[in-house]
Amino acid sequence: MSAPDAASSDPRLLVAAAARGERRALARLVSVFEDSRTDAAARRREALAALDERGAAPRALCVGFTGTPGAGKSSLLGVVAKALVERDPTLSVAVVAVDPASVLSGGALLGDRTRVTFPAGERRLYFRSQSSERALGGLGRTTFHVCRVLERLFDVLFVETVGIGQSEIEVREFADRVYLVLQPLAGDQVQFMKAGIMEIPDAFVVNKCDEERAARRSLHALRASLSFARPGDDDRLPIFSTSAATGLGVDALVEDIARSRTSIAPRGLTAAARAHFERWVATGYGELGLRYLAGVPALEDVDAAELSFDREFRRWVCEPPPTELHR
Ligand SMILES: Nc1nc2c(ncn2[C@@H]2O[C@H](COP(=O)(O)OP(=O)(O)O)[C@@H](O)[C@H]2O)c(=O)[nH]1
Ligand SMILES: [Mg+2]
Protein backbone atom coordinates (compact mmCIF):
# COMPACT_ATOMS: atom_id res chain seq x y z
CA MET A 1 0.00 0.00 0.00
CA SER A 2 1.37 3.42 -0.88
CA ALA A 3 1.80 6.07 1.80
CA PRO A 4 -1.14 8.29 0.77
CA ASP A 5 -3.54 5.32 0.87
CA ALA A 6 -2.37 4.39 4.35
CA ALA A 7 -2.83 8.00 5.42
CA SER A 8 -6.39 8.12 4.14
CA SER A 9 -7.43 5.15 6.24
CA ASP A 10 -5.53 6.02 9.41
CA PRO A 11 -6.29 9.44 10.90
CA ARG A 12 -3.01 9.44 12.82
CA LEU A 13 -0.99 8.97 9.66
CA LEU A 14 -3.08 11.57 7.88
CA VAL A 15 -2.55 14.11 10.65
CA ALA A 16 1.17 13.31 10.85
CA ALA A 17 1.56 13.85 7.11
CA ALA A 18 -0.47 17.07 7.27
CA ALA A 19 1.69 18.32 10.14
CA ARG A 20 4.75 17.73 7.95
CA GLY A 21 3.12 20.03 5.42
CA GLU A 22 2.35 17.35 2.81
CA ARG A 23 -0.18 19.01 0.57
CA ARG A 24 -2.20 15.95 -0.36
CA ALA A 25 -2.59 15.03 3.28
CA LEU A 26 -3.56 18.60 4.15
CA ALA A 27 -6.13 18.62 1.36
CA ARG A 28 -7.58 15.33 2.64
CA LEU A 29 -7.66 16.53 6.22
CA VAL A 30 -9.34 19.79 5.26
CA SER A 31 -11.93 18.00 3.15
CA VAL A 32 -12.91 15.91 6.16
CA PHE A 33 -13.93 19.19 7.77
CA GLU A 34 -15.82 20.30 4.66
CA ASP A 35 -17.67 17.02 4.35
CA SER A 36 -21.41 17.30 4.97
CA ARG A 37 -22.08 13.57 4.93
CA THR A 38 -23.18 12.06 8.21
CA ASP A 39 -20.32 9.59 8.50
CA ALA A 40 -17.76 12.40 8.25
CA ALA A 41 -18.45 13.39 11.87
CA ALA A 42 -16.70 10.27 13.15
CA ARG A 43 -13.69 10.97 10.95
CA ARG A 44 -13.55 14.53 12.26
CA ARG A 45 -13.52 13.27 15.82
CA GLU A 46 -10.69 10.87 14.98
CA ALA A 47 -8.69 13.56 13.24
CA LEU A 48 -9.12 15.96 16.15
CA ALA A 49 -8.12 13.26 18.63
CA ALA A 50 -5.00 12.63 16.55
CA LEU A 51 -4.21 16.35 16.57
CA ASP A 52 -4.65 16.44 20.34
CA GLU A 53 -2.41 13.42 20.69
CA ARG A 54 0.34 15.25 18.84
CA GLY A 55 -0.13 18.29 21.07
CA ALA A 56 -1.10 20.34 18.02
CA ALA A 57 -2.91 23.10 19.90
CA PRO A 58 -4.20 26.26 18.20
CA ARG A 59 -1.25 28.55 17.58
CA ALA A 60 -1.81 30.56 14.40
CA LEU A 61 -2.14 34.29 14.26
CA CYS A 62 -5.32 34.63 12.22
CA VAL A 63 -5.16 37.45 9.69
CA GLY A 64 -8.17 38.59 7.65
CA PHE A 65 -7.66 39.96 4.14
CA THR A 66 -10.92 41.35 2.99
CA GLY A 67 -12.35 43.74 0.42
CA THR A 68 -13.79 44.12 -3.02
CA PRO A 69 -13.51 41.35 -5.60
CA GLY A 70 -10.60 41.88 -7.95
CA ALA A 71 -8.66 44.18 -5.60
CA GLY A 72 -5.79 41.72 -5.74
CA LYS A 73 -6.18 40.01 -2.37
CA SER A 74 -5.21 36.58 -3.66
CA SER A 75 -2.32 37.90 -5.73
CA LEU A 76 -1.05 39.88 -2.78
CA LEU A 77 -1.40 36.97 -0.37
CA GLY A 78 0.65 34.81 -2.69
CA VAL A 79 3.48 37.33 -2.58
CA VAL A 80 3.12 38.10 1.13
CA ALA A 81 3.03 34.45 2.21
CA LYS A 82 6.17 33.64 0.25
CA ALA A 83 7.96 36.68 1.68
CA LEU A 84 6.97 35.71 5.22
CA VAL A 85 8.45 32.21 5.01
CA GLU A 86 11.55 33.55 3.27
CA ARG A 87 12.28 36.04 6.01
CA ASP A 88 11.70 33.49 8.80
CA PRO A 89 12.81 29.91 8.12
CA THR A 90 10.82 28.59 11.10
CA LEU A 91 7.49 30.01 9.95
CA SER A 92 4.61 28.24 8.20
CA VAL A 93 1.70 29.99 6.50
CA ALA A 94 -1.73 28.82 5.34
CA VAL A 95 -4.20 30.77 3.20
CA VAL A 96 -7.93 30.06 3.03
CA ALA A 97 -9.56 32.04 0.23
CA VAL A 98 -13.34 32.23 0.21
CA ASP A 99 -14.80 33.14 -3.16
CA PRO A 100 -18.38 34.21 -3.64
CA ALA A 101 -20.37 31.57 -5.42
CA SER A 102 -21.26 32.60 -8.91
CA VAL A 103 -24.94 32.07 -9.41
CA LEU A 104 -24.51 31.47 -13.12
CA SER A 105 -21.54 29.15 -13.27
CA GLY A 106 -21.58 27.78 -9.75
CA GLY A 107 -17.89 28.55 -9.82
CA ALA A 108 -15.70 31.25 -8.37
CA LEU A 109 -16.04 34.87 -9.25
CA LEU A 110 -13.35 36.01 -11.68
CA GLY A 111 -12.19 32.42 -11.79
CA ASP A 112 -9.51 33.24 -9.27
CA ARG A 113 -9.33 29.83 -7.68
CA THR A 114 -5.96 29.14 -9.18
CA ARG A 115 -4.42 32.57 -8.69
CA VAL A 116 -2.30 31.67 -5.67
CA THR A 117 0.37 29.21 -6.66
CA PHE A 118 2.98 28.23 -4.13
CA PRO A 119 6.18 26.42 -5.12
CA ALA A 120 5.35 22.70 -5.24
CA GLY A 121 8.03 21.57 -2.79
CA GLU A 122 7.44 24.31 -0.21
CA ARG A 123 5.87 22.55 2.76
CA ARG A 124 5.56 25.67 4.85
CA LEU A 125 2.95 27.14 2.52
CA TYR A 126 -0.58 25.90 2.02
CA PHE A 127 -3.45 27.38 0.01
CA ARG A 128 -7.08 26.33 0.09
CA SER A 129 -9.92 27.82 -1.88
CA GLN A 130 -13.54 27.57 -0.78
CA SER A 131 -16.86 28.78 -2.09
CA SER A 132 -18.83 31.10 0.15
CA GLU A 133 -22.04 29.60 -1.28
CA ARG A 134 -23.39 33.12 -1.22
CA ALA A 135 -23.32 35.42 -4.20
CA LEU A 136 -22.32 38.39 -2.06
CA GLY A 137 -19.42 36.74 -0.33
CA GLY A 138 -18.80 36.17 3.32
CA LEU A 139 -17.50 33.06 4.97
CA GLY A 140 -18.36 29.61 3.70
CA ARG A 141 -20.36 27.14 5.73
CA THR A 142 -17.23 25.22 6.67
CA THR A 143 -14.61 27.99 6.64
CA PHE A 144 -14.69 28.26 10.39
CA HIS A 145 -14.11 24.54 10.93
CA VAL A 146 -11.36 24.32 8.36
CA CYS A 147 -9.64 27.27 10.03
CA ARG A 148 -9.87 25.55 13.37
CA VAL A 149 -7.83 22.69 11.97
CA LEU A 150 -5.34 24.88 10.15
CA GLU A 151 -4.78 27.12 13.19
CA ARG A 152 -3.27 24.02 14.85
CA LEU A 153 -0.90 23.28 11.99
CA PHE A 154 0.39 26.68 10.86
CA ASP A 155 1.89 29.79 12.46
CA VAL A 156 0.01 32.32 10.35
CA LEU A 157 -3.45 31.69 8.92
CA PHE A 158 -4.76 34.13 6.34
CA VAL A 159 -8.46 34.20 5.58
CA GLU A 160 -9.36 35.98 2.35
CA THR A 161 -12.99 37.06 2.02
CA VAL A 162 -14.89 38.99 -0.60
CA GLY A 163 -17.86 41.22 -0.14
CA ILE A 164 -18.86 44.61 1.04
CA GLY A 165 -20.04 44.56 4.59
CA GLN A 166 -20.98 41.16 5.86
CA SER A 167 -17.76 39.27 5.30
CA GLU A 168 -15.63 41.93 6.92
CA ILE A 169 -17.75 41.72 10.01
CA GLU A 170 -17.69 37.93 9.97
CA VAL A 171 -13.94 37.72 9.67
CA ARG A 172 -13.53 40.37 12.38
CA GLU A 173 -15.11 37.96 14.83
CA PHE A 174 -12.16 35.63 14.75
CA ALA A 175 -9.25 37.31 13.01
CA ASP A 176 -6.55 38.76 15.25
CA ARG A 177 -5.80 41.42 12.67
CA VAL A 178 -7.86 42.54 9.68
CA TYR A 179 -6.60 44.27 6.53
CA LEU A 180 -9.03 45.90 4.15
CA VAL A 181 -7.68 45.67 0.62
CA LEU A 182 -8.81 48.33 -1.84
CA GLN A 183 -7.94 48.94 -5.42
CA PRO A 184 -7.62 52.28 -7.16
CA LEU A 185 -11.09 52.54 -8.60
CA ALA A 186 -13.34 55.52 -8.42
CA GLY A 187 -16.28 54.87 -6.15
CA ASP A 188 -14.64 52.30 -3.90
CA GLN A 189 -14.26 54.52 -0.90
CA VAL A 190 -17.79 55.80 -1.14
CA GLN A 191 -19.15 52.26 -0.98
CA PHE A 192 -17.08 51.46 2.07
CA MET A 193 -18.25 54.57 3.82
CA LYS A 194 -21.85 53.59 3.19
CA ALA A 195 -21.45 50.14 4.63
CA GLY A 196 -19.72 51.50 7.71
CA ILE A 197 -16.96 49.16 6.74
CA MET A 198 -14.19 51.62 7.46
CA GLU A 199 -14.70 50.88 11.14
CA ILE A 200 -13.79 47.22 10.88
CA PRO A 201 -10.15 46.92 9.78
CA ASP A 202 -6.96 47.41 11.76
CA ALA A 203 -5.11 48.52 8.65
CA PHE A 204 -5.72 49.38 5.01
CA VAL A 205 -4.00 48.23 1.87
CA VAL A 206 -4.31 50.10 -1.41
CA ASN A 207 -3.14 47.53 -3.93
CA LYS A 208 -2.32 47.98 -7.64
CA CYS A 209 -0.23 51.04 -6.82
CA ASP A 210 1.72 50.33 -9.99
CA GLU A 211 -1.11 52.33 -11.52
CA GLU A 212 0.35 55.48 -10.03
CA ARG A 213 -2.15 58.20 -10.79
CA ALA A 214 -5.18 56.18 -9.80
CA ALA A 215 -3.34 55.03 -6.69
CA ARG A 216 -2.56 58.58 -5.57
CA ARG A 217 -6.17 59.58 -6.05
CA SER A 218 -7.40 56.58 -4.07
CA LEU A 219 -4.98 57.15 -1.22
CA HIS A 220 -6.18 60.69 -0.95
CA ALA A 221 -9.84 59.60 -1.02
CA LEU A 222 -9.17 56.92 1.58
CA ARG A 223 -7.50 59.36 3.96
CA ALA A 224 -10.40 61.76 3.52
CA SER A 225 -12.94 58.97 4.18
CA LEU A 226 -11.05 57.87 7.28
CA SER A 227 -11.01 61.32 8.77
CA PHE A 228 -14.81 61.16 8.70
CA ALA A 229 -15.31 57.50 9.54
CA ARG A 230 -12.73 57.23 12.30
CA PRO A 231 -11.98 60.69 13.59
CA GLY A 232 -9.13 60.72 16.07
CA ASP A 233 -8.15 57.26 14.98
CA ASP A 234 -7.37 58.04 11.37
CA ASP A 235 -3.82 59.31 11.92
CA ARG A 236 -2.76 56.09 13.58
CA LEU A 237 -4.34 53.66 11.13
CA PRO A 238 -1.70 52.15 8.90
CA ILE A 239 -2.25 52.46 5.15
CA PHE A 240 -0.04 50.31 2.95
CA SER A 241 0.40 51.05 -0.73
CA THR A 242 1.30 47.86 -2.54
CA SER A 243 1.55 46.22 -5.90
CA ALA A 244 1.32 42.45 -6.08
CA ALA A 245 2.45 42.82 -9.67
CA THR A 246 5.74 44.68 -9.05
CA GLY A 247 6.32 43.93 -5.37
CA LEU A 248 6.12 47.62 -4.52
CA GLY A 249 5.41 48.23 -0.84
CA VAL A 250 5.10 44.53 -0.04
CA ASP A 251 8.03 44.60 2.40
CA ALA A 252 6.33 47.12 4.68
CA LEU A 253 3.14 45.04 4.71
CA VAL A 254 5.10 41.84 5.44
CA GLU A 255 6.93 43.67 8.22
CA ASP A 256 3.61 44.74 9.74
CA ILE A 257 2.30 41.16 9.71
CA ALA A 258 5.53 39.83 11.21
CA ARG A 259 5.37 42.47 13.92
CA SER A 260 1.77 41.52 14.66
CA ARG A 261 2.94 37.98 15.32
CA THR A 262 5.11 39.19 18.16
CA SER A 263 2.76 41.84 19.51
CA ILE A 264 -0.65 40.11 19.32
CA ALA A 265 -1.47 36.96 21.25
CA PRO A 266 -3.70 34.85 18.98
CA ARG A 267 -7.19 34.56 20.42
CA GLY A 268 -7.79 31.19 18.81
CA LEU A 269 -11.02 30.43 17.03
CA THR A 270 -12.63 28.69 19.99
CA ALA A 271 -13.47 32.08 21.46
CA ALA A 272 -15.64 32.85 18.43
CA ALA A 273 -17.45 29.50 18.30
CA ARG A 274 -20.70 30.66 19.85
CA ALA A 275 -21.05 33.67 17.54
CA HIS A 276 -20.26 31.50 14.58
CA PHE A 277 -22.79 28.90 15.60
CA GLU A 278 -25.50 31.51 15.90
CA ARG A 279 -24.73 32.71 12.42
CA TRP A 280 -24.74 29.15 11.16
CA VAL A 281 -28.26 28.78 12.55
CA ALA A 282 -29.33 32.20 11.26
CA THR A 283 -28.02 31.48 7.76
CA GLY A 284 -29.71 28.12 7.54
CA TYR A 285 -32.88 28.84 9.45
CA GLY A 286 -33.23 32.61 9.54
CA GLU A 287 -35.21 34.45 12.14
CA LEU A 288 -37.07 31.27 12.94
CA GLY A 289 -33.82 29.53 13.78
CA LEU A 290 -32.68 32.27 16.10
CA ARG A 291 -35.99 32.19 17.96
CA TYR A 292 -35.65 28.46 18.34
CA LEU A 293 -32.05 28.82 19.43
CA ALA A 294 -33.03 31.22 22.20
CA GLY A 295 -35.18 28.48 23.72
CA VAL A 296 -32.58 25.71 23.62
CA PRO A 297 -30.32 26.02 26.66
CA ALA A 298 -28.31 22.89 25.79
CA LEU A 299 -26.81 24.78 22.85
CA GLU A 300 -24.78 26.80 25.34
CA ASP A 301 -22.07 24.21 25.04
CA VAL A 302 -21.48 24.42 21.35
CA ASP A 303 -19.55 21.30 20.79
CA ALA A 304 -16.09 22.48 21.70
CA ALA A 305 -14.77 18.96 22.04
CA GLU A 306 -15.70 17.98 18.50
CA LEU A 307 -14.64 21.38 17.19
CA SER A 308 -17.57 21.15 14.88
CA PHE A 309 -21.29 21.59 15.06
CA ASP A 310 -21.98 18.00 14.18
CA ARG A 311 -24.06 17.24 17.22
CA GLU A 312 -26.12 20.40 16.83
CA PHE A 313 -26.45 19.74 13.13
CA ARG A 314 -27.85 16.28 13.80
CA ARG A 315 -30.29 17.81 16.24
CA TRP A 316 -31.49 20.32 13.67
CA VAL A 317 -31.86 17.69 11.02
CA CYS A 318 -33.55 15.16 13.27
CA GLU A 319 -35.59 17.60 15.33
CA PRO A 320 -36.38 20.59 13.16
CA PRO A 321 -37.71 23.70 14.90
CA PRO A 322 -41.27 23.17 16.18
CA THR A 323 -43.90 24.09 13.65
CA GLU A 324 -45.66 26.62 15.87
CA LEU A 325 -42.66 28.88 15.27
CA HIS A 326 -43.55 28.94 11.60
CA ARG A 327 -46.60 31.02 12.32
N1 LIG B 1 -1.83 46.02 -12.09
C1 LIG B 1 -2.01 45.20 -11.09
N2 LIG B 1 -2.86 44.17 -11.21
C2 LIG B 1 -3.03 43.35 -10.14
C3 LIG B 1 -2.34 43.55 -8.92
N3 LIG B 1 -2.73 42.59 -8.05
C4 LIG B 1 -3.63 41.82 -8.69
N4 LIG B 1 -3.82 42.26 -9.94
C5 LIG B 1 -4.74 41.70 -10.96
O1 LIG B 1 -6.06 41.95 -10.54
C6 LIG B 1 -6.91 40.85 -10.86
C7 LIG B 1 -7.60 40.33 -9.62
O2 LIG B 1 -6.64 39.81 -8.74
P1 LIG B 1 -7.00 38.79 -7.56
O3 LIG B 1 -5.76 38.55 -6.79
O4 LIG B 1 -7.71 37.61 -8.08
O5 LIG B 1 -8.02 39.67 -6.73
P2 LIG B 1 -8.99 39.23 -5.51
O6 LIG B 1 -10.34 39.00 -6.12
O7 LIG B 1 -9.01 40.40 -4.60
O8 LIG B 1 -8.42 38.01 -4.89
C8 LIG B 1 -6.02 39.83 -11.53
O9 LIG B 1 -6.15 39.98 -12.92
C9 LIG B 1 -4.64 40.20 -11.07
O10 LIG B 1 -3.64 39.83 -11.99
C10 LIG B 1 -1.43 44.65 -8.84
O11 LIG B 1 -0.78 44.90 -7.83
N5 LIG B 1 -1.31 45.44 -9.95
MG1 LIG C 1 -9.24 36.13 -4.45
Side-chain angles (χ1 to χ4, degrees), residues 38-310:
T38 325
D39 63 347
R43 286 186 289 133
R44 278 194 278 277
R45 266 197 304 279
E46 287 169 359
L48 289 160
L51 281 162
D52 282 339
E53 219 171 88
R54 294 181 63 88
R59 68 170 196 260
L61 182 81
C62 183
V63 180
F65 255 54
T66 187
T68 41
K73 297 178 296 299
S74 297
S75 310
L76 200 53
L77 278 176
V79 178
V80 163
K82 276 181 234 168
L84 274 170
V85 300
E86 265 165 32
R87 95 191 263 296
D88 183 347
T90 67
L91 205 68
S92 60
V93 178
V95 177
V96 176
V98 191
D99 295 318
S102 154
V103 179
L104 288 178
S105 68
L109 197 78
L110 306 173
D112 76 348
R113 295 202 152 216
T114 54
R115 198 139 285 140
V116 177
T117 47
F118 290 141
E122 182 49 87
R123 293 187 168 198
R124 294 181 297 139
L125 292 171
Y126 178 67
F127 176 79
R128 180 75 171 196
S129 173
Q130 287 196 321
S131 164
S132 74
E133 294 144 29
R134 273 183 279 160
L136 292 176
L139 300 184
R141 189 176 44 81
T142 60
T143 309
F144 186 74
H145 302 307
V146 166
C147 287
R148 289 179 89 180
V149 176
L150 294 177
E151 74 168 344
R152 290 159 160 250
L153 294 170
F154 290 88
D155 299 310
V156 180
L157 171 60
F158 288 106
V159 183
E160 176 195 329
T161 60
V162 159
I164 316 276
Q166 194 54 34
S167 67
E168 287 83 348
I169 293 159
E170 285 178 10
V171 81
R172 176 77 276 177
E173 273 164 15
F174 66 83
D176 299 300
R177 189 161 176 81
V178 175
Y179 296 85
L180 182 65
V181 184
L182 305 160
Q183 62 180 330
L185 271 183
D188 239 357
Q189 285 75 18
V190 177
Q191 284 179 44
F192 282 107
M193 280 284 282
K194 262 192 242 156
I197 222 55
M198 306 296 271
E199 280 131 56
I200 302 291
D202 301 298
F204 296 81
V205 179
V206 179
N207 189 42
K208 302 195 185 178
C209 281
D210 45 292
E211 294 162 20
E212 281 178 41
R213 267 193 56 207
R216 261 201 308 276
R217 216 171 41 230
S218 296
L219 271 171
H220 184 74
L222 174 60
R223 288 211 181 86
S225 300
L226 278 175
S227 66
F228 282 108
R230 295 172 71 162
D233 206 15
D234 56 315
D235 290 345
R236 291 185 295 109
L237 283 169
I239 300 177
F240 299 94
S241 309
T242 62
S243 166
T246 68
L248 176 95
V250 169
D251 283 352
L253 177 58
V254 167
E255 193 54 44
D256 189 69
I257 294 162
R259 206 170 33 239
S260 301
R261 264 202 85 229
T262 58
S263 63
I264 303 173
R267 283 182 294 172
L269 270 64
T270 305
R274 174 75 192 183
H276 186 81
F277 179 64
E278 284 177 359
R279 192 174 35 252
W280 179 79
V281 171
T283 308
Y285 302 90
E287 188 61 29
L288 177 71
L290 287 176
R291 271 155 67 196
Y292 181 63
L293 188 63
V296 184
L299 291 180
E300 258 321 307
D301 61 338
V302 168
D303 210 336
E306 272 181 47
L307 286 183
S308 75
F309 302 137
D310 290 332

Side-chain angles (χ1 to χ4, degrees), residues 1-9 14 24 28:
M1 189 189 273
S2 71
D5 291 334
S8 66
S9 57
L14 179 63
R24 284 183 59 181
R28 278 216 180 88

